[in-house]
Amino acid sequence: MIEIHDPVRLLIIVEHLPEVVLKTIQQSPETYQWFMNEWVNLVVIHPITKALYRFNDGDFQFYQTISRKVGTVSNLTTLVETTQDNVPVMVIA
């Protein structure tokens, strides 16, 4: 059934120093494999610079956003019912 739906993965966002988060997730080899195998995605927001870093191939890599602007939606139900693609990231007003 993989051809009829998009696989969904958990995304965890942490505000901390990338090197501290890396050392932390390496503490548990079993859990670390979730990140290495991309079953769980991990993004770190640097607490001072607010830069984004995505965990990939065993390390955090700087992530450049596609757009700085996030859309707004007032009726989430209508958005979900009328969108066939993945629902974009939006602020619910």
Side-chain angles (χ1 to χ4, degrees):
M1 295 188 87
I2 193 78
E3 63 276 348
I4 62 170
H5 75 279
D6 291 328
V8 177
R9 300 286 186 255
L10 178 65
L11 169 63
I12 298 174
I13 302 172
V14 178
E15 184 174 356
H16 211 300
L17 301 173
E19 56 273 13
V20 173
V21 176
L22 181 60
K23 286 175 68 174
T24 302
I25 65 173
Q26 290 173 333
Q27 297 284 324
S28 170
E30 296 82 8
T31 307
Y32 184 67
Q33 286 302 310
W34 297 349
F35 300 107
M36 288 296 296
N37 295 331
E38 297 183 2
W39 283 101
V40 177
N41 294 296
L42 179 58
V43 172
V44 168
I45 302 172
H46 193 285
I48 298 168
T49 67
K50 303 304 180 196
L52 301 175
Y53 296 88
R54 183 177 183 269
F55 182 78
N56 190 23
D57 292 330
D59 201 7
F60 284 98
Q61 300 169 1
F62 177 73
Y63 179 79
Q64 180 63 47
T65 58
I66 296 170
S67 173
R68 302 291 271 163
K69 185 176 181 181
V70 177
T72 303
V73 63
S74 57
N75 189 328
L76 188 59
T77 302
T78 301
L79 174 67
V80 172
E81 290 175 349
T82 59
T83 303
Q84 291 183 341
D85 295 327
N86 291 331
V87 177
V89 173
M90 301 189 86
V91 174
I92 302 171

